[in-house]
Amino acid sequence: MESEGHFMRNFHGIIKLFSILFITAIVTGCASNYRARPLEYHIVIQPTAGDDGGFDEFDEFSEFGETAAPTVNDPLEGYNRFMFKVNDKLYVWIIRPVANGYAYVVPEPARVSIKSFFKNLMFPVRLVNNLLQLKFKECGIETLRFGINTTVGIGGLFDPASSWFKLEPSDEDFGQTLGSYGVGDGIPIVLPIFGFSNLRDAFGRIPDAFLNPVNYLNPAWHVYAVRAGEMVNEVSIYSKEYDSYKKDAVDPYIFFRNAYKQNRAKKVEK
Amino acid sequence: MKTLALMIGMCGLMVCSRAMADDKADVSKSVKEVTTNIVAILNDDTLELDASKEKVQVEIEKIFDFPLTAKLTLGRTYWPKLTPEQQKDFQELFVKNIINSYYDKAKQFATETIIYGDPENVGNKIQMLISFVSKGEKITINNKLYKSKTGWMIYDMEIQDVSIVRSYGSQYTEVLKNGSGEDLLEKMRAKLKDVKKAEEAEEKTDDAEKKAEDAEVKTEAMDTKAE
């Protein structure tokens, strides 16, 4: 059958892609810079007068290494800082005002439902990536969640799978799949509009895009409209958080770069 | 002889695990207590903003070892770069900055139901998860505690898997890489000033709004009288 052939071709394509990446991962795995390895600092420290006792504490808390935030290799820092500023201006002058207007008209529970709808729609991404990471139990749970939320949760607008059945989502994407096979995150890259990412995760968006049903809408401008709508909806829910983190940080760029890295590292672990 | 040794061993194990169980119970109790108290303070509308922040600080300092956390953000490499004077200032500014940062966020979540996880032993430390649901998403806060001379204290919190020590550490050490300790302290003081200014501006707009409302109510009352 035609559709089967199409599916098989896609499937083979994904397997091919994956095996190429797997080999690349093994080769570049050594270059990964965010594995829990102790840092190799050979600094001779002159203890300040009267503070000798303090160094015991650093031994106790060796989980943080020699310095709580190891140097990040950020060769694109110039570009990244620039794009970060551009995104911020875009956010402050266009996206946030639109989101605020939208929030004024649409009550929050409805917007949370819309967010839930889009999250439900991304089921294929989660399913495939859980599968690729051999997380079979999570595949089962995700399938169950999709079934429950689409039916009982009225097309994904609600999430009874979490609230009633206590089925936790397993949020996986291709960047995490690569990470779980040892691909280091490479270097930080700030993407236009999408914001912080890194070499591995930015690349990982491509295979995931094939699994996102929204991208198959016809004509093409529908896709952009829906994606833009999804972003405005998301921003309308989280704008206060973004603003407060930006306001509190001594250096917002560093803060978001570090937070993104930490967050992704933890997600890859899971 | 063997059985005696075995029995002593078993007793030792029981005492040990009992001690661990006691520790976990202590941690669970104190975390729950402090959290409940803080939520009560946040929900108390009669308090002024500054008074509220101070009360929260006093409450959380019972269980959060801020001076240690501040030290850990700089780490072995950068902590000695500050003079003892600067170290003290740094620790004080750190506490104030954290309270300012997280006060607003905490206030948003003060009305949600909090789910307490069970404390778990991780090495010689204990970790305990607190979570709540907000806007359809689960927010998790992982408290990491160590045994200090005064009991179990928090030295780091991972909010949505982002550690306070690491995220502040990354910013502070970036400043110290290219500047001095004094530069860092200046930046932190500047942050506090900005927050103060923003708060005062908000209060002014709130007052102005209230005045406008009162004026409206007055004119309405006068209109009804005239009728």
Side-chain angles (χ1 to χ4, degrees):
Chain A
M1 287 228 335
E2 220 183 83
S3 52
E4 254 177 43
H6 192 207
F7 170 73
M8 283 314 279
R9 245 181 291 137
N10 260 348
F11 187 63
H12 276 142
I14 292 176
I15 291 292
K16 226 199 248 169
L17 179 72
F18 174 68
S19 38
I20 293 173
L21 291 164
F22 189 48
I23 295 171
T24 323
I26 298 184
V27 167
T28 59
C30 338
S32 71
N33 66 348
Y34 201 94
R35 293 276 131 204
R37 259 186 258 130
L39 288 167
E40 282 133 45
Y41 266 92
H42 297 296
I43 296 180
V44 176
I45 298 171
Q46 311 295 344
T48 56
D51 204 45
D52 275 84
F55 291 105
D56 295 335
E57 285 170 310
F58 292 123
D59 284 329
E60 258 298 292
F61 297 97
S62 56
E63 72 188 82
F64 295 116
E66 291 295 321
T67 158
T71 336
V72 172
N73 183 22
D74 192 1
L76 296 177
E77 182 162 343
Y79 157 77
N80 281 338
R81 279 189 185 266
F82 167 73
M83 190 43 81
F84 181 73
K85 274 217 186 86
V86 167
N87 281 342
D88 190 53
K89 291 269 176 269
L90 184 71
Y91 167 80
V92 168
W93 293 105
I94 302 182
I95 301 180
R96 187 172 63 187
V98 171
N100 283 343
Y102 165 74
Y104 189 71
V105 174
V106 181
E108 189 171 65
R111 291 182 276 124
V112 173
S113 285
I114 293 175
K115 176 175 139 173
S116 179
F117 167 77
F118 281 111
K119 187 159 177 216
N120 195 46
L121 222 48
M122 296 285 273
F123 162 71
V125 175
R126 289 193 293 272
L127 181 69
V128 169
N129 283 301
N130 272 305
L131 197 60
L132 290 175
Q133 293 182 44
L134 309 177
K135 289 165 79 174
F136 299 115
K137 177 166 165 227
E138 280 77 358
C139 281
I141 295 179
E142 272 294 326
T143 313
L144 218 51
R145 281 180 54 86
F146 182 69
I148 294 174
N149 284 341
T150 313
T151 49
V152 180
I154 310 176
L157 290 175
F158 301 101
D159 192 0
S162 294
S163 41
W164 296 351
F165 297 88
K166 303 285 184 245
L167 295 168
E168 298 288 328
S170 178
D171 201 4
E172 297 288 343
D173 55 56
F174 199 66
Q176 292 178 58
T177 304
L178 290 175
S180 74
Y181 280 98
V183 179
D185 54 9
I187 53 173
I189 303 180
V190 178
L191 301 173
I193 304 176
F194 296 114
F196 262 101
S197 185
N198 57 52
L199 195 60
R200 173 194 68 200
D201 296 342
F203 171 77
R205 286 174 163 270
I206 304 174
D208 282 341
F210 286 103
L211 296 165
N212 185 353
V214 173
N215 290 329
Y216 291 94
L217 288 174
N218 247 330
W221 75 265
H222 276 179
V223 177
Y224 301 127
V226 171
R227 297 286 298 267
E230 184 184 347
M231 169 177 255
V232 167
N233 190 62
E234 192 84 8
V235 168
S236 75
I237 298 175
Y238 292 111
S239 67
K240 277 215 204 88
E241 275 82 333
Y242 175 77
D243 291 335
S244 74
Y245 280 117
K246 199 177 72 171
K247 167 181 76 131
D248 300 329
V250 162
D251 184 340
Y253 169 75
I254 300 279
F255 172 77
F256 283 108
R257 181 181 79 185
N258 179 274
Y260 179 77
K261 198 175 167 82
Q262 276 190 61
N263 185 273
R264 292 301 289 182
K266 268 288 162 86
K267 281 183 128 168
V268 166
E269 255 175 58
K270 286 205 196 138
Chain B
M1 259 334 273
K2 251 197 187 168
T3 39
L4 187 64
L6 189 66
M7 276 180 63
I8 294 178
M10 297 269 330
C11 284
L13 197 66
M14 280 183 355
V15 168
C16 211
S17 54
R18 186 64 212 278
M20 290 201 334
D22 278 343
D23 282 337
K24 287 203 233 180
D26 283 340
V27 165
S28 188
K29 200 167 138 269
S30 0
V31 170
K32 285 189 187 160
E33 225 182 274
V34 171
T35 314
T36 328
N37 290 345
I38 292 182
V39 168
I41 300 172
L42 291 170
N43 283 327
D44 187 353
D45 286 324
T46 63
L47 286 171
E48 285 276 338
L49 186 60
D50 283 337
S52 184
K53 280 191 186 174
E54 265 188 54
K55 280 190 105 178
V56 169
Q57 182 171 337
V58 166
E59 187 63 37
I60 201 170
E61 275 176 343
K62 289 188 195 158
I63 198 173
F64 206 124
D65 192 349
F66 285 112
L68 175 66
T69 311
K71 209 175 188 177
L72 292 172
T73 58
L74 296 186
R76 191 192 293 265
T77 321
Y78 289 100
W79 179 248
K81 293 230 167 120
L82 300 180
T83 67
E85 258 285 324
Q86 289 176 329
Q87 287 173 351
K88 252 191 92 238
D89 284 340
F90 173 70
Q91 285 170 326
E92 281 173 20
L93 287 168
F94 178 74
V95 180
K96 288 256 160 359
N97 265 308
I98 292 261
I99 301 277
N100 276 326
S101 295
Y102 289 100
Y103 182 85
D104 291 328
K105 299 180 184 68
K107 206 154 178 171
Q108 285 177 32
F109 305 129
T111 46
E112 313 283 356
T113 351
I114 301 183
I115 308 168
Y116 296 97
D118 291 318
E120 302 208 357
N121 287 303
V122 177
N124 62 345
K125 315 270 191 323
I126 290 189
Q127 294 189 8
M128 179 170 166
L129 213 64
I130 307 179
S131 58
F132 47 85
V133 178
S134 159
K135 298 173 190 164
E137 240 183 90
K138 187 166 168 197
I139 313 266
T140 53
I141 301 179
N142 188 22
N143 296 298
K144 288 149 74 173
L145 302 108
Y146 80 108
K147 187 150 196 174
S148 77
K149 303 187 196 93
T150 48
W152 288 91
M153 299 276 270
I154 299 178
Y155 65 92
D156 189 16
M157 267 191 189
E158 283 171 357
I159 304 174
Q160 294 289 75
D161 293 331
V162 176
S163 142
I164 290 186
V165 171
R166 287 191 215 273
S167 47
Y168 280 89
S170 63
Q171 298 173 63
Y172 295 153
T173 51
E174 193 75 17
V175 175
L176 286 176
K177 246 190 254 170
N178 310 321
S180 71
E182 204 45 53
D183 290 335
L184 177 61
L185 296 177
E186 264 315 306
K187 284 213 158 152
M188 292 169 83
R189 286 188 201 114
K191 257 298 140 181
L192 285 178
K193 270 202 218 113
D194 285 341
V195 171
K196 261 257 153 262
K197 263 198 244 155
E199 277 171 18
E200 280 164 14
E202 250 195 73
E203 265 191 53
K204 279 210 181 113
T205 46
D206 282 346
D207 283 343
E209 276 178 20
K210 229 191 151 263
K211 279 207 182 117
E213 270 182 39
D214 290 341
E216 258 188 58
V217 170
K218 257 197 185 156
T219 47
E220 272 184 36
M222 285 184 7
D223 283 341
T224 46
K225 253 199 191 164
E227 283 167 25

